């Protein structure tokens, strides 16, 4: 069977080598006579899987020892609510930088728990750019500053060309949603208080999230909450305070091993730069047949939204792309148009195929 090139934003394409290994191990994991998804999460077999996954992620991201790593149920949206409960006192102010749909979502999750200050908001400009750092109205007494490193829907990413990949916010802990750009390039983890993200884009399958937190922050009292919502309790329980999503955790571990074997984040940074440039070159060189409305300095490497000059061509474009083995290119309902998500697992050959199709489609319909 020939696999399509899947440009879905999430759940997203997984490395074929990982899927084949999971397929081979599905009925019998390493000769134990059962699937890993059937074994106790507290048994030695899965404990080995969990330990290897954490060790490999620490290696991939160069995570310092003074940071805890958690593998938790639920998506990034769940973590957005838990962040306020764990790191802000009742009624304490927290600063939010809103640069797209998911920044707005993060803000919405914390409104019941903190006095949220929107320090910067790109909505007036249609989320096509990141507000200049000099315009941010940060609080002196904020519990933390939160931002979304890459906006999956709007295609806006904090890049060095926009004044720094990592915002400078002084001594206030910086918390970031890295759901769609984690492990896509080297990252100085020590600059952050917390990094979190859903796995279903660059790390693995839907159903598990990763939280990387500076241990000293976990000592904050936060707000009254059930034990299951307490990050410190999850650290003590090694991410097994309750039964974890073992299959998802296992698959994420396989993705980490695949990435390490492929050369790690430095190699994927090179690949991702080439892939995104290839698509933006087609868009920018189309004479307006295709357009991307994001400011060039903050264009995402992971998610490339674009529009056709004539909306009447949207359906033919999607139908012909599917026929060519290029699927999941329809843009998010919040924005419309098209979107190509080109995470680590999308091979360069897939992006080359999409670029060639886009040029051909323009020649036939332009």
């Amino acid at each position: 069977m020939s696999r399509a090139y899947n440009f879905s934003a999430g759940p997203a394409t997984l490395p074929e080598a990982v899927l084949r290994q999971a397929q081979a191990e599905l009925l019998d994991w390493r000769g134990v006579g059962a699937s890993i998804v059937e074994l106790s999460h507290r048994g030695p077999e899965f404990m080995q899987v969990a330990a290897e996954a954490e060790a490999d992620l620490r290696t991939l991201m160069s995570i310092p020892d003074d940071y805890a790593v958690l593998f938790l149920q639920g998506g990034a949206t769940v973590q957005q609510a838990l962040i306020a409960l764990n790191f802000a006192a009742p009624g304490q102010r927290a600063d939010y930088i809103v640069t797209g749909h998911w920044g707005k979502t993060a803000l919405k999750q914390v409104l019941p728990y903190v006095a949220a200050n929107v320090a910067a908001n790109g909505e007036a400009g249609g989320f096509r750019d990141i507000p200049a750092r000099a315009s941010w109205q940060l609080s002196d007494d904020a519990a933390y500053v939160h931002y979304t490193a890459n906006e999956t829907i709007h295609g806006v990413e904090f890049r060095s060309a926009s004044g720094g990949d990592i915002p400078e916010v002084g001594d206030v802990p910086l918390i970031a949603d890295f759901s769609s750009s984690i492990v896509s390039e080297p990252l100085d983890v020590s600059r952050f208080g917390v990094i979190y993200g859903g796995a279903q884009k660059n790390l693995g399958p839907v159903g598990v999230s990763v939280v990387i937190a500076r241990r000293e922050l976990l000592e904050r009292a936060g707000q009254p909450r059930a034990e299951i919502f307490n990050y410190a309790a999850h650290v003590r329980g090694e991410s097994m305070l309750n039964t974890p999503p073992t299959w998802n955790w296992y698959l994420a571990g396989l993705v980490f091993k695949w990435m390490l074997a492929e050369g790690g984040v430095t190699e994927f940074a090179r690949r991702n730069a080439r892939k995104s440039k290839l698509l933006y070159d087609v868009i920018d060189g189309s004479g307006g047949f295709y357009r991307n409305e994001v400011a060039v300095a903050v264009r995402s490497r992971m998610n490339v939204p674009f529009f056709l000059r004539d909306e009447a061509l949207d359906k033919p474009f999607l139908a012909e792309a599917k026929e060519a083995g290029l699927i999941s290119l329809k843009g998010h309902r919040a924005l419309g148009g098209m979107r190509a998500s080109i995470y680590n697992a999308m091979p360069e050959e897939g992006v080359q195929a999409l670029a060639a199709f886009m040029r051909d489609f323009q020649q036939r319909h332009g």
Side-chain angles (χ1 to χ4, degrees):
M1 181 184 70
S2 176
R3 281 173 54 81
Y5 290 120
N6 177 14
F7 294 91
S8 173
T13 191
L14 288 167
E16 185 171 338
V18 166
L19 293 175
R20 292 191 181 279
Q21 181 175 349
Q23 180 185 48
E25 295 178 343
L26 181 59
L27 295 180
D28 184 4
W29 183 80
R30 300 187 183 181
V32 302
S35 170
I36 192 66
V37 77
E38 300 172 301
L39 300 173
S40 169
H41 59 290
R42 300 193 184 280
E45 297 86 2
F46 187 77
M47 293 295 286
Q48 179 184 348
V49 167
E52 288 181 7
E54 179 177 338
D56 288 341
L57 184 60
R58 285 185 177 276
T59 299
L60 269 174
M61 296 184 64
S62 300
I63 299 173
D65 291 339
D66 60 336
Y67 283 74
V69 176
L70 294 170
F71 293 86
L72 301 176
Q73 298 184 53
T77 309
V78 172
Q79 310 314 320
Q80 289 162 358
L82 296 184
I83 282 164
L85 289 174
N86 281 267
F87 302 121
Q92 188 176 12
R93 187 181 300 274
D95 287 344
Y96 277 76
I97 311 302
V98 179
T99 55
H101 176 92
W102 295 113
K104 288 180 64 176
T105 299
L107 179 65
K108 180 181 178 181
Q109 303 315 310
V110 302
L111 289 178
Y113 310 115
V114 301
N117 170 50
V118 180
N121 192 341
E123 188 165 17
F127 293 131
R128 297 182 180 91
D129 203 349
I130 295 174
R133 175 63 184 83
S135 71
W136 295 9
Q137 301 295 313
L138 296 175
S139 308
D140 294 331
D141 57 348
Y144 58 81
V145 177
H146 179 282
Y147 80 107
T148 306
N150 180 77
E151 283 286 353
T152 314
I153 293 174
H154 288 90
V156 172
E157 183 178 12
F158 280 78
R159 305 300 308 145
S160 56
S162 62
D165 296 80
I166 304 173
E168 179 55 60
V169 296
D171 295 330
V172 178
L174 186 62
I175 296 180
D177 178 355
F178 267 89
S179 292
S180 53
S181 58
I182 195 168
V183 298
S184 64
E185 64 182 344
L187 181 69
D188 184 357
V189 174
S190 68
R191 296 278 303 278
F192 295 87
V194 179
I195 290 169
Y196 70 95
Q200 68 271 20
K201 302 176 189 298
N202 254 339
L203 294 179
V206 67
V208 64
S209 296
V210 169
V211 177
I212 303 165
R214 190 183 298 140
R215 295 185 191 276
E216 67 176 13
L217 273 183
L218 296 169
E219 298 173 6
R220 289 190 177 184
Q223 304 188 31
R225 59 197 182 277
E227 188 81 342
I228 198 68
F229 298 146
N230 188 345
Y231 281 144
H234 282 286
V235 172
R236 292 192 295 270
E238 298 180 310
S239 299
M240 297 185 188
L241 200 58
N242 60 340
T243 305
T246 55
W247 176 253
N248 314 70
W249 194 341
Y250 153 78
L251 277 175
L254 294 186
V255 173
F256 303 161
K257 291 185 183 301
W258 171 78
M259 281 194 64
L260 288 169
E262 292 288 310
V265 292
T266 301
E267 171 58 23
F268 281 97
R270 287 192 285 263
R271 296 182 189 181
N272 291 328
R274 290 195 298 265
K275 290 188 297 185
S276 58
K277 183 180 185 301
L278 185 58
L279 286 189
Y280 288 124
D281 283 350
V282 171
I283 294 167
D284 294 342
S286 69
F289 186 83
Y290 303 108
R291 71 183 190 278
N292 172 275
E293 298 179 345
V294 177
V296 173
V298 298
R299 281 175 166 178
S300 171
R301 299 160 304 124
M302 299 284 97
N303 311 99
V304 181
F306 60 95
F307 302 88
L308 278 72
R309 182 168 55 202
D310 183 354
E311 287 187 14
L313 291 174
D314 285 2
K315 287 185 178 180
F317 181 93
L318 292 169
E320 293 181 27
K322 184 177 181 180
E323 186 68 23
L326 310 168
I327 65 172
S328 302
L329 285 164
K330 185 177 181 179
H332 191 275
R333 61 185 180 276
L335 194 63
M338 307 296 159
R339 175 176 53 175
S341 295
I342 49 176
Y343 306 121
N344 287 352
M346 171 56 66
E348 291 185 65
E349 293 79 7
V351 180
Q352 291 165 355
L354 175 57
F357 169 79
M358 290 172 66
R359 286 191 293 265
D360 178 66
F361 186 88
Q362 178 182 358
Q363 185 176 20
R364 291 184 289 105
H365 295 274

